[in-house]
Amino acid sequence: MTEATLEKIRMAGVAGAGGAGFPTYAKLGSRVDTIIMNAAECEPLLHKDKEILRHHLASVLEGFAAAARLTGASRACIGIKEKYRALVEQIRQAAPSGIEVVTVRDVYPAGDEITLVYNLTGRIVPPGGIPLAAGAVVINVETSYNLARALRGHPVIEKFLPVAGAVADPCTLRVPIGISFAECIEAAGGLSTESPSFLIGGVMMGRLAGDASGRVTRTTGGIVVLPSSHPVIERYGKTWREKARIGRSACDQCGFCTELCPRYLLGHPVEPHLAMRSLVYNQVGDALVRGSSFCCECNLCSLFSCPEGLDPKDACAWNKTEMASRGVKWEHPDFRPKTAETLLPNRQVPTAKLMARLGLNSFNNRGPLRDEPVRTGRVGLALKQHIGVPASPEVRPGDLVNAGDLIASVPRQGNGYQLGLPIHASISGRVSEITRDMIWIES
């Protein structure tokens, strides 16, 4: 029965909806004692998780309970920010026996799964490890919702998408996967700035897009529009060469980036100030710098901690790339974590302070859910929206498809399938084009 259920989840295309897109069927095939729902959304201006919980609580709880059964977890808990008092009470009253609600502080990055595992269990995931190494599996709110629908036979063809910042009506939309960013922005009332820039995924961990022509995937975390003159956009617009040159000349090794690093505070050997030092002394591969391999790139060091506006996060990322290319690894099998209890509570960054530091308080910090799906006449569906191998097309140009039809599948491997997920048509229409990376459908 378990194998049949996991296969149903695989065929529905359920992936982690808030991160890298790890196939959920593979994650739920693990046996753990604890399963956690990550409802501690912490990217500034984004409100998707609490909106899904408010409007679709029964489905979310149904999917989460199913996930707990599949993993054999004896403890199932929902981690959510304590400031949402009314919602917390609503969940506690609706949750079935065996599911507990645990509140966390309104800090960044409360939604980092390694941080969340510690806050909810007291266990520290070892450097480079995943929650499974601490006996836990973490899934997010939208994934839980998609699980419930998958078990009722509905594939993942829609996405809950927050659109925030410099738009007329910030909100959380329900959109077909493959819709353009521009259409989503229009559905949120359109731009409220004449010179827009687009952060896809969020202010802290997003990427700067050149325009709004990109397409929504299963893992698109949100769209934040900011004026091109905004300081955050100016930071994202710098090249690595500029950041490295300025860092070499200006970093005074104050150590603030390290002292506020969420992973360092859990005892991981991530020390961003040493990564900055390596820009001067070319210490890539040095034992002191190898801990950069475990930087989660939350960007707190660059966008909040550094008093000089430098970029320790990018220095860590550069070190990671350089070490990977040279085959250099951090190897300390005798890792013993520092005690987090004394430092972590006093060094977490309140979201309000982060918003002020980023210059985001002038934007409407809301994101009510519009549950009526946004319509479109054309979608572009990426063949790789997940960790694993890309899906292979099962259709040809000119084929007619209905929303929910299988249009791409993952190659078989022995008696099973390679790690990956199938793709389904998100609208009804005709397949207009198939490229190496995309399937295009027009209604």
Side-chain angles (χ1 to χ4, degrees):
M1 183 63 179
T2 298
E3 289 184 6
T5 302
L6 291 175
E7 175 61 11
K8 186 178 288 188
I9 292 169
R10 186 193 72 83
M11 280 301 300
V14 183
F22 192 80
T24 303
Y25 75 90
K27 183 179 287 190
L28 297 184
S30 304
R31 304 296 289 181
V32 294
D33 58 42
T34 303
I35 187 165
I36 295 170
M37 184 196 298
N38 186 350
E41 191 169 37
C42 59
E43 272 280 359
L45 300 176
L46 304 187
H47 300 271
K48 177 186 72 171
D49 288 351
K50 69 177 176 59
E51 291 300 316
I52 297 175
L53 285 165
R54 283 174 175 166
H55 292 267
H56 298 283
L57 181 56
S59 291
V60 172
L61 292 174
E62 176 188 344
F64 187 52
R69 290 193 298 271
L70 287 166
T71 58
S74 57
R75 184 186 182 210
C77 47
I78 300 171
I80 186 171
K81 289 185 176 178
E82 60 189 3
K83 70 176 182 178
Y84 299 128
R85 294 182 179 83
L87 179 57
V88 168
E89 184 59 30
Q90 180 186 349
I91 298 170
R92 282 179 172 153
Q93 291 188 12
S97 176
I99 293 181
E100 58 182 296
V101 181
V102 183
T103 59
V104 297
R105 298 171 63 192
D106 184 19
V107 297
Y108 181 86
D112 167 49
E113 67 175 12
I114 306 301
T115 300
L116 193 64
V117 167
Y118 173 76
N119 285 334
L120 269 60
T121 70
R123 304 171 187 171
I124 295 179
V125 177
I130 59 176
L132 190 62
V137 159
V138 182
I139 62 176
N140 68 21
V141 174
E142 188 174 4
T143 302
S144 297
Y145 171 84
N146 287 336
L147 278 171
R149 287 183 54 80
L151 296 177
R152 295 197 293 268
H154 301 292
V156 179
I157 63 173
E158 292 182 328
K159 177 74 182 170
F160 291 102
L161 186 79
V163 182
V167 293
D169 188 14
C171 58
T172 302
L173 301 170
R174 186 175 191 156
V175 302
I177 293 172
I179 193 173
S180 71
F181 299 151
E183 290 172 285
C184 297
I185 292 167
E186 190 60 32
L191 300 168
S192 60
T193 177
E194 294 182 358
S195 179
S197 289
F198 310 97
L199 288 173
I200 309 303
V203 173
M204 296 298 290
M205 296 185 70
R207 61 177 177 84
L208 184 63
D211 55 37
S213 63
R215 299 280 160 170
V216 172
T217 71
R218 292 173 179 143
T219 60
T220 305
I223 302 171
V224 179
V225 182
L226 294 177
S228 296
S229 59
H230 194 279
V232 170
I233 298 300
E234 292 180 353
R235 292 289 299 275
Y236 271 96
K238 286 192 175 86
T239 65
W240 167 239
R241 185 174 181 178
E242 291 175 297
K243 293 175 181 179
R245 176 175 54 81
I246 296 170
R248 281 193 293 269
S249 65
C251 178
D252 59 9
Q253 292 288 285
C254 70
F256 286 176
C257 54
T258 294
E259 295 300 330
L260 293 179
C261 171
R263 295 295 173 87
Y264 174 80
L265 293 172
L266 288 176
H268 288 201
V270 182
E271 298 181 80
H273 76 285
L274 295 181
M276 292 296 289
R277 189 186 300 176
S278 73
L279 300 179
V280 179
Y281 296 107
N282 193 26
Q283 292 174 300
V284 173
D286 182 272
L288 293 176
V289 185
R290 295 185 189 187
S292 297
S293 298
F294 310 121
C295 169
C296 64
E297 301 187 29
C298 71
N299 226 354
L300 192 66
C301 55
S302 293
L303 294 182
F304 182 87
S305 305
C306 181
E308 299 182 53
L310 306 179
D311 290 277
K313 186 271 287 185
D314 280 35
C316 286
W318 176 72
N319 267 286
K320 286 163 69 173
T321 301
E322 287 293 305
M323 284 187 285
S325 68
R326 301 182 193 186
V328 176
K329 296 181 180 179
W330 184 86
E331 296 177 353
H332 281 274
D334 58 342
F335 169 72
R336 295 290 184 273
K338 301 174 185 176
T339 301
E341 292 90 339
T342 55
L343 296 179
L344 189 63
N346 299 317
R347 294 189 184 176
Q348 292 178 314
V349 175
T351 302
K353 286 190 175 182
L354 179 63
M355 293 271 291
R357 179 66 180 267
L358 295 174
L360 299 176
N361 286 336
S362 61
F363 300 102
N364 194 345
N365 189 19
R366 60 190 292 273
L369 176 63
R370 293 189 192 167
D371 218 11
E372 181 65 27
V374 175
R375 305 296 179 186
T376 182
R378 186 171 188 258
V379 293
L381 295 155
L383 293 170
K384 194 177 190 317
Q385 303 182 36
H386 48 262
I387 286 178
V389 300
S392 300
E394 297 283 354
V395 292
R396 295 178 297 180
D399 285 354
L400 293 175
V401 295
N402 293 315
D405 285 353
L406 179 71
I407 59 172
S409 60
V410 174
R412 295 190 68 90
Q413 185 175 51
N415 294 326
Y417 292 87
Q418 296 183 50
L419 182 67
L421 290 169
I423 309 293
H424 302 81
S426 58
I427 63 171
S428 298
R430 186 182 301 274
V431 177
S432 60
E433 183 182 5
I434 298 177
T435 66
R436 186 181 66 176
D437 304 316
M438 304 278 284
I439 296 177
W440 295 87
I441 302 173
E442 296 184 13
S443 61

